Short mmCIF file of all heavy atoms in Angstrom, two decimals:
data_model
loop_
_atom_site.label_atom_id
_atom_site.label_comp_id
_atom_site.label_asym_id
_atom_site.label_seq_id
_atom_site.Cartn_x
_atom_site.Cartn_y
_atom_site.Cartn_z
N LEU A 1 -20.02 -2.05 5.96
CA LEU A 1 -20.39 -2.02 4.55
C LEU A 1 -20.31 -0.61 3.98
O LEU A 1 -20.07 -0.43 2.78
CB LEU A 1 -21.81 -2.57 4.37
CG LEU A 1 -22.05 -3.98 4.91
CD1 LEU A 1 -23.52 -4.37 4.76
CD2 LEU A 1 -21.17 -4.99 4.19
N VAL A 2 -20.48 0.39 4.85
CA VAL A 2 -20.43 1.78 4.41
C VAL A 2 -18.99 2.29 4.36
O VAL A 2 -18.62 3.07 3.48
CB VAL A 2 -21.27 2.67 5.35
CG1 VAL A 2 -21.14 4.14 4.98
CG2 VAL A 2 -22.73 2.26 5.31
N LEU A 3 -18.17 1.83 5.31
CA LEU A 3 -16.82 2.36 5.47
C LEU A 3 -15.75 1.51 4.80
O LEU A 3 -14.56 1.83 4.91
CB LEU A 3 -16.50 2.51 6.96
CG LEU A 3 -17.44 3.42 7.77
CD1 LEU A 3 -17.07 3.38 9.24
CD2 LEU A 3 -17.38 4.85 7.24
N LYS A 4 -16.14 0.46 4.11
CA LYS A 4 -15.14 -0.46 3.56
C LYS A 4 -14.27 0.19 2.49
O LYS A 4 -13.19 -0.32 2.19
CB LYS A 4 -15.83 -1.70 2.98
CG LYS A 4 -16.77 -1.42 1.82
CD LYS A 4 -17.50 -2.68 1.38
CE LYS A 4 -18.46 -2.36 0.24
NZ LYS A 4 -19.22 -3.55 -0.19
N PHE A 5 -14.71 1.33 1.92
CA PHE A 5 -13.88 2.01 0.92
C PHE A 5 -12.53 2.41 1.51
O PHE A 5 -11.54 2.53 0.78
CB PHE A 5 -14.61 3.25 0.39
CG PHE A 5 -14.76 4.37 1.38
CD1 PHE A 5 -13.78 5.34 1.50
CD2 PHE A 5 -15.88 4.45 2.19
CE1 PHE A 5 -13.91 6.37 2.42
CE2 PHE A 5 -16.02 5.47 3.11
CZ PHE A 5 -15.03 6.44 3.22
N ALA A 6 -12.47 2.60 2.85
CA ALA A 6 -11.23 3.04 3.48
C ALA A 6 -10.14 1.96 3.42
O ALA A 6 -8.95 2.28 3.39
CB ALA A 6 -11.48 3.45 4.93
N VAL A 7 -10.55 0.68 3.41
CA VAL A 7 -9.57 -0.41 3.38
C VAL A 7 -9.46 -1.05 1.99
O VAL A 7 -8.63 -1.94 1.79
CB VAL A 7 -9.91 -1.49 4.42
CG1 VAL A 7 -9.85 -0.93 5.82
CG2 VAL A 7 -11.27 -2.12 4.16
N ALA A 8 -10.28 -0.58 1.05
CA ALA A 8 -10.25 -1.16 -0.29
C ALA A 8 -8.87 -1.06 -0.94
O ALA A 8 -8.41 -2.03 -1.57
CB ALA A 8 -11.32 -0.51 -1.17
N PRO A 9 -8.16 0.08 -0.82
CA PRO A 9 -6.81 0.12 -1.42
C PRO A 9 -5.87 -0.92 -0.84
O PRO A 9 -5.01 -1.45 -1.56
CB PRO A 9 -6.34 1.55 -1.09
CG PRO A 9 -7.59 2.34 -0.92
CD PRO A 9 -8.55 1.39 -0.28
N PHE A 10 -6.02 -1.22 0.45
CA PHE A 10 -5.17 -2.24 1.08
C PHE A 10 -5.41 -3.61 0.45
O PHE A 10 -4.47 -4.35 0.17
CB PHE A 10 -5.46 -2.28 2.59
CG PHE A 10 -4.60 -3.25 3.35
CD1 PHE A 10 -3.34 -2.89 3.78
CD2 PHE A 10 -5.06 -4.53 3.63
CE1 PHE A 10 -2.53 -3.78 4.49
CE2 PHE A 10 -4.28 -5.43 4.33
CZ PHE A 10 -3.00 -5.05 4.75
N VAL A 11 -6.69 -3.94 0.21
CA VAL A 11 -7.02 -5.22 -0.41
C VAL A 11 -6.52 -5.26 -1.85
O VAL A 11 -6.02 -6.29 -2.32
CB VAL A 11 -8.55 -5.47 -0.36
CG1 VAL A 11 -8.92 -6.75 -1.10
CG2 VAL A 11 -9.02 -5.55 1.09
N ASP A 12 -6.64 -4.15 -2.57
CA ASP A 12 -6.14 -4.08 -3.95
C ASP A 12 -4.62 -4.18 -4.02
O ASP A 12 -4.07 -4.70 -4.98
CB ASP A 12 -6.58 -2.76 -4.60
CG ASP A 12 -7.86 -2.91 -5.41
OD1 ASP A 12 -8.17 -4.04 -5.83
OD2 ASP A 12 -8.55 -1.90 -5.61
N ARG A 13 -3.97 -3.71 -2.97
CA ARG A 13 -2.51 -3.58 -3.00
C ARG A 13 -1.79 -4.83 -2.52
O ARG A 13 -0.69 -5.15 -2.99
CB ARG A 13 -2.12 -2.39 -2.11
CG ARG A 13 -0.71 -1.86 -2.31
CD ARG A 13 -0.48 -0.70 -1.36
NE ARG A 13 -1.46 0.37 -1.55
CZ ARG A 13 -1.70 1.32 -0.66
NH1 ARG A 13 -1.05 1.34 0.48
NH2 ARG A 13 -2.58 2.26 -0.93
N HIS A 14 -2.38 -5.55 -1.58
CA HIS A 14 -1.68 -6.65 -0.91
C HIS A 14 -2.37 -8.00 -1.16
O HIS A 14 -3.58 -8.07 -1.33
CB HIS A 14 -1.59 -6.39 0.60
CG HIS A 14 -0.84 -5.15 0.94
ND1 HIS A 14 0.52 -5.04 0.85
CD2 HIS A 14 -1.29 -3.93 1.37
CE1 HIS A 14 0.91 -3.83 1.22
NE2 HIS A 14 -0.18 -3.12 1.53
N ARG A 15 -1.57 -9.06 -1.09
CA ARG A 15 -2.07 -10.43 -1.19
C ARG A 15 -2.04 -11.06 0.19
O ARG A 15 -0.98 -11.12 0.83
CB ARG A 15 -1.21 -11.24 -2.16
CG ARG A 15 -1.27 -10.73 -3.60
CD ARG A 15 -0.33 -11.50 -4.50
NE ARG A 15 -0.44 -11.00 -5.88
CZ ARG A 15 -0.72 -11.77 -6.92
NH1 ARG A 15 -0.89 -13.08 -6.75
NH2 ARG A 15 -0.80 -11.27 -8.12
N LEU A 16 -3.18 -11.55 0.66
CA LEU A 16 -3.26 -12.14 1.99
C LEU A 16 -2.63 -13.53 2.00
O LEU A 16 -1.83 -13.86 2.88
CB LEU A 16 -4.72 -12.20 2.45
CG LEU A 16 -4.96 -12.69 3.88
CD1 LEU A 16 -4.29 -11.77 4.89
CD2 LEU A 16 -6.47 -12.75 4.16
N LEU A 17 -3.02 -14.36 1.03
CA LEU A 17 -2.44 -15.70 0.88
C LEU A 17 -1.94 -15.81 -0.56
O LEU A 17 -2.68 -16.25 -1.45
CB LEU A 17 -3.48 -16.79 1.18
CG LEU A 17 -4.01 -16.86 2.62
CD1 LEU A 17 -5.07 -17.94 2.75
CD2 LEU A 17 -2.87 -17.13 3.61
N PRO A 18 -0.69 -15.43 -0.82
CA PRO A 18 -0.19 -15.35 -2.21
C PRO A 18 -0.32 -16.64 -3.00
O PRO A 18 -0.53 -16.60 -4.21
CB PRO A 18 1.29 -14.98 -2.01
CG PRO A 18 1.34 -14.30 -0.68
CD PRO A 18 0.31 -14.99 0.16
N ARG A 19 -0.22 -17.77 -2.33
CA ARG A 19 -0.30 -19.04 -3.07
C ARG A 19 -1.66 -19.24 -3.72
O ARG A 19 -1.78 -19.98 -4.70
CB ARG A 19 0.00 -20.21 -2.13
CG ARG A 19 1.46 -20.28 -1.68
CD ARG A 19 1.71 -21.54 -0.87
NE ARG A 19 3.11 -21.66 -0.47
CZ ARG A 19 3.61 -22.68 0.22
NH1 ARG A 19 2.80 -23.68 0.60
NH2 ARG A 19 4.89 -22.70 0.53
N LEU A 20 -2.68 -18.63 -3.16
CA LEU A 20 -4.03 -18.78 -3.71
C LEU A 20 -4.33 -17.76 -4.80
O LEU A 20 -5.36 -17.84 -5.46
CB LEU A 20 -5.08 -18.65 -2.59
CG LEU A 20 -5.07 -19.74 -1.52
CD1 LEU A 20 -6.15 -19.45 -0.48
CD2 LEU A 20 -5.28 -21.11 -2.14
N GLY A 21 -3.44 -16.79 -4.98
CA GLY A 21 -3.72 -15.71 -5.92
C GLY A 21 -4.19 -14.47 -5.16
O GLY A 21 -4.45 -14.51 -3.96
N HIS A 22 -4.32 -13.37 -5.87
CA HIS A 22 -4.62 -12.11 -5.20
C HIS A 22 -6.05 -12.10 -4.63
O HIS A 22 -6.23 -12.06 -3.41
CB HIS A 22 -4.45 -10.95 -6.20
CG HIS A 22 -4.54 -9.60 -5.57
ND1 HIS A 22 -4.22 -8.45 -6.24
CD2 HIS A 22 -4.91 -9.20 -4.33
CE1 HIS A 22 -4.37 -7.41 -5.44
NE2 HIS A 22 -4.81 -7.85 -4.27
N ARG A 23 -7.07 -12.13 -5.48
CA ARG A 23 -8.46 -12.05 -4.99
C ARG A 23 -8.86 -13.32 -4.26
O ARG A 23 -9.51 -13.26 -3.21
CB ARG A 23 -9.41 -11.80 -6.16
CG ARG A 23 -8.97 -10.72 -7.14
CD ARG A 23 -8.96 -9.34 -6.55
NE ARG A 23 -8.26 -8.42 -7.43
CZ ARG A 23 -8.00 -7.15 -7.15
NH1 ARG A 23 -8.40 -6.66 -6.00
NH2 ARG A 23 -7.34 -6.39 -8.00
N ARG A 24 -8.52 -14.47 -4.80
CA ARG A 24 -8.88 -15.73 -4.15
C ARG A 24 -8.25 -15.82 -2.74
O ARG A 24 -8.84 -16.36 -1.82
CB ARG A 24 -8.42 -16.91 -4.99
CG ARG A 24 -8.91 -18.25 -4.47
CD ARG A 24 -8.26 -19.43 -5.18
NE ARG A 24 -8.66 -19.54 -6.57
CZ ARG A 24 -7.85 -19.38 -7.60
NH1 ARG A 24 -6.56 -19.07 -7.40
NH2 ARG A 24 -8.28 -19.52 -8.82
N GLY A 25 -7.04 -15.26 -2.61
CA GLY A 25 -6.34 -15.28 -1.34
C GLY A 25 -7.04 -14.49 -0.25
O GLY A 25 -6.81 -14.72 0.95
N TRP A 26 -7.89 -13.55 -0.63
CA TRP A 26 -8.72 -12.83 0.34
C TRP A 26 -10.07 -13.52 0.53
O TRP A 26 -10.59 -13.60 1.66
CB TRP A 26 -8.97 -11.40 -0.16
CG TRP A 26 -7.83 -10.46 0.06
CD1 TRP A 26 -6.88 -10.09 -0.84
CD2 TRP A 26 -7.50 -9.78 1.28
NE1 TRP A 26 -5.99 -9.21 -0.28
CE2 TRP A 26 -6.35 -9.00 1.03
CE3 TRP A 26 -8.08 -9.75 2.55
CZ2 TRP A 26 -5.76 -8.20 2.00
CZ3 TRP A 26 -7.49 -8.96 3.52
CH2 TRP A 26 -6.35 -8.20 3.26
N ILE A 27 -10.65 -14.02 -0.55
CA ILE A 27 -12.01 -14.56 -0.49
C ILE A 27 -12.09 -15.83 0.34
O ILE A 27 -12.97 -15.99 1.21
CB ILE A 27 -12.55 -14.81 -1.92
CG1 ILE A 27 -12.73 -13.48 -2.65
CG2 ILE A 27 -13.85 -15.59 -1.89
CD1 ILE A 27 -12.98 -13.62 -4.14
N VAL A 28 -11.17 -16.78 0.11
CA VAL A 28 -11.25 -18.08 0.79
C VAL A 28 -11.14 -17.96 2.31
O VAL A 28 -12.01 -18.46 3.04
CB VAL A 28 -10.19 -19.05 0.22
CG1 VAL A 28 -10.14 -20.33 1.06
CG2 VAL A 28 -10.51 -19.38 -1.24
N PRO A 29 -10.10 -17.32 2.85
CA PRO A 29 -10.00 -17.27 4.32
C PRO A 29 -11.09 -16.44 4.98
O PRO A 29 -11.58 -16.81 6.05
CB PRO A 29 -8.60 -16.67 4.57
CG PRO A 29 -8.26 -15.95 3.32
CD PRO A 29 -8.91 -16.70 2.21
N THR A 30 -11.48 -15.32 4.37
CA THR A 30 -12.51 -14.50 5.00
C THR A 30 -13.85 -15.22 5.03
O THR A 30 -14.56 -15.20 6.05
CB THR A 30 -12.66 -13.15 4.29
OG1 THR A 30 -12.84 -13.35 2.88
CG2 THR A 30 -11.44 -12.28 4.51
N GLN A 31 -14.22 -15.90 3.94
CA GLN A 31 -15.49 -16.60 3.92
C GLN A 31 -15.48 -17.81 4.85
O GLN A 31 -16.49 -18.13 5.48
CB GLN A 31 -15.85 -17.04 2.49
CG GLN A 31 -17.26 -17.58 2.34
CD GLN A 31 -18.32 -16.54 2.68
OE1 GLN A 31 -18.11 -15.35 2.48
NE2 GLN A 31 -19.46 -17.00 3.19
N ALA A 32 -14.33 -18.48 4.96
CA ALA A 32 -14.23 -19.61 5.90
C ALA A 32 -14.43 -19.13 7.33
O ALA A 32 -15.13 -19.78 8.13
CB ALA A 32 -12.87 -20.29 5.74
N LEU A 33 -13.85 -17.98 7.68
CA LEU A 33 -14.03 -17.43 9.03
C LEU A 33 -15.46 -16.96 9.25
O LEU A 33 -15.99 -17.08 10.36
CB LEU A 33 -13.05 -16.28 9.25
CG LEU A 33 -11.57 -16.67 9.40
CD1 LEU A 33 -10.68 -15.43 9.43
CD2 LEU A 33 -11.38 -17.50 10.68
N VAL A 34 -16.10 -16.43 8.21
CA VAL A 34 -17.51 -16.04 8.31
C VAL A 34 -18.38 -17.25 8.66
O VAL A 34 -19.23 -17.20 9.55
CB VAL A 34 -18.00 -15.39 7.00
CG1 VAL A 34 -19.53 -15.35 6.94
CG2 VAL A 34 -17.45 -13.98 6.87
N SER A 35 -18.17 -18.35 7.96
CA SER A 35 -18.94 -19.57 8.22
C SER A 35 -18.69 -20.08 9.64
O SER A 35 -19.62 -20.55 10.32
CB SER A 35 -18.57 -20.65 7.20
OG SER A 35 -18.89 -20.24 5.89
N LEU A 36 -17.44 -19.98 10.09
CA LEU A 36 -17.12 -20.39 11.46
C LEU A 36 -17.83 -19.51 12.49
O LEU A 36 -18.34 -20.00 13.50
CB LEU A 36 -15.60 -20.33 11.66
CG LEU A 36 -15.08 -20.85 13.01
CD1 LEU A 36 -15.41 -22.33 13.19
CD2 LEU A 36 -13.57 -20.62 13.10
N ALA A 37 -17.88 -18.20 12.21
CA ALA A 37 -18.56 -17.29 13.13
C ALA A 37 -20.07 -17.54 13.16
O ALA A 37 -20.70 -17.45 14.22
CB ALA A 37 -18.27 -15.84 12.72
N ILE A 38 -20.65 -17.87 12.00
CA ILE A 38 -22.08 -18.22 11.98
C ILE A 38 -22.32 -19.47 12.82
O ILE A 38 -23.29 -19.54 13.60
CB ILE A 38 -22.56 -18.42 10.53
CG1 ILE A 38 -22.52 -17.10 9.76
CG2 ILE A 38 -23.99 -18.99 10.51
CD1 ILE A 38 -22.86 -17.24 8.29
N ALA A 39 -21.45 -20.47 12.68
CA ALA A 39 -21.59 -21.69 13.47
C ALA A 39 -21.50 -21.37 14.96
O ALA A 39 -22.21 -21.97 15.78
CB ALA A 39 -20.51 -22.69 13.07
N ALA A 40 -20.65 -20.42 15.34
CA ALA A 40 -20.52 -20.03 16.74
C ALA A 40 -21.82 -19.42 17.28
O ALA A 40 -22.11 -19.51 18.48
CB ALA A 40 -19.36 -19.06 16.92
N MET A 41 -22.62 -18.81 16.41
CA MET A 41 -23.91 -18.25 16.84
C MET A 41 -24.85 -19.33 17.35
O MET A 41 -25.73 -19.06 18.17
CB MET A 41 -24.57 -17.51 15.67
CG MET A 41 -23.86 -16.24 15.26
SD MET A 41 -24.53 -15.52 13.72
CE MET A 41 -26.23 -15.20 14.21
N ALA A 42 -24.65 -20.57 16.89
CA ALA A 42 -25.50 -21.68 17.33
C ALA A 42 -25.31 -21.98 18.81
O ALA A 42 -26.17 -22.61 19.44
CB ALA A 42 -25.21 -22.93 16.50
N LEU A 43 -24.18 -21.55 19.37
CA LEU A 43 -23.90 -21.79 20.78
C LEU A 43 -24.62 -20.79 21.68
O LEU A 43 -24.62 -20.94 22.91
CB LEU A 43 -22.39 -21.70 21.04
CG LEU A 43 -21.51 -22.66 20.22
CD1 LEU A 43 -20.04 -22.39 20.50
CD2 LEU A 43 -21.87 -24.10 20.54
N LEU A 44 -25.21 -19.76 21.08
CA LEU A 44 -25.88 -18.70 21.83
C LEU A 44 -27.38 -18.83 21.71
O LEU A 44 -27.90 -19.57 20.87
CB LEU A 44 -25.43 -17.33 21.32
CG LEU A 44 -23.93 -17.05 21.36
CD1 LEU A 44 -23.62 -15.74 20.61
CD2 LEU A 44 -23.43 -16.97 22.79
N ASP A 45 -28.08 -18.08 22.54
CA ASP A 45 -29.53 -17.97 22.46
C ASP A 45 -29.88 -16.67 21.72
O ASP A 45 -29.15 -15.69 21.87
CB ASP A 45 -30.14 -17.95 23.87
CG ASP A 45 -31.66 -17.97 23.83
OD1 ASP A 45 -32.23 -19.07 23.75
OD2 ASP A 45 -32.26 -16.88 23.86
N PRO A 46 -30.95 -16.65 20.93
CA PRO A 46 -31.29 -15.42 20.20
C PRO A 46 -31.51 -14.20 21.10
O PRO A 46 -31.48 -13.08 20.61
CB PRO A 46 -32.58 -15.80 19.46
CG PRO A 46 -32.55 -17.27 19.36
CD PRO A 46 -31.85 -17.76 20.59
N SER A 47 -31.73 -14.41 22.39
CA SER A 47 -31.94 -13.28 23.30
C SER A 47 -30.64 -12.64 23.76
O SER A 47 -30.65 -11.55 24.34
CB SER A 47 -32.73 -13.74 24.54
OG SER A 47 -31.98 -14.71 25.26
N GLN A 48 -29.51 -13.28 23.50
CA GLN A 48 -28.20 -12.77 23.95
C GLN A 48 -27.68 -11.75 22.95
O GLN A 48 -26.84 -12.04 22.09
CB GLN A 48 -27.22 -13.93 24.13
CG GLN A 48 -27.63 -14.91 25.23
CD GLN A 48 -26.67 -16.08 25.33
OE1 GLN A 48 -26.81 -17.07 24.63
NE2 GLN A 48 -25.68 -15.95 26.21
#
């Protein structure tokens, strides 16, 4: 969250999924992967 300024120009410059549009093309896949990673936490114990 502190260092994200270093990659901000890359996000402004490039389209990850052009069919979805510029900003939407970044938001949809990253948030979907975030939700998947949260679900993966359910497979672990809080002590791990």
Side-chain angles (χ1 to χ4, degrees):
L1 303 176
V2 175
L3 301 176
K4 63 185 179 181
F5 69 89
V7 297
F10 182 83
V11 175
D12 264 337
R13 197 180 302 163
H14 299 286
R15 296 176 179 236
L16 185 61
L17 295 177
R19 290 186 178 182
L20 295 179
H22 189 170
R23 314 293 168 185
R24 187 190 292 114
W26 281 99
I27 293 168
V28 172
T30 52
Q31 189 62 30
L33 288 173
V34 164
S35 298
L36 185 62
I38 293 175
M41 291 172 61
L43 303 176
L44 302 171
D45 185 85
S47 63
Q48 296 177 274

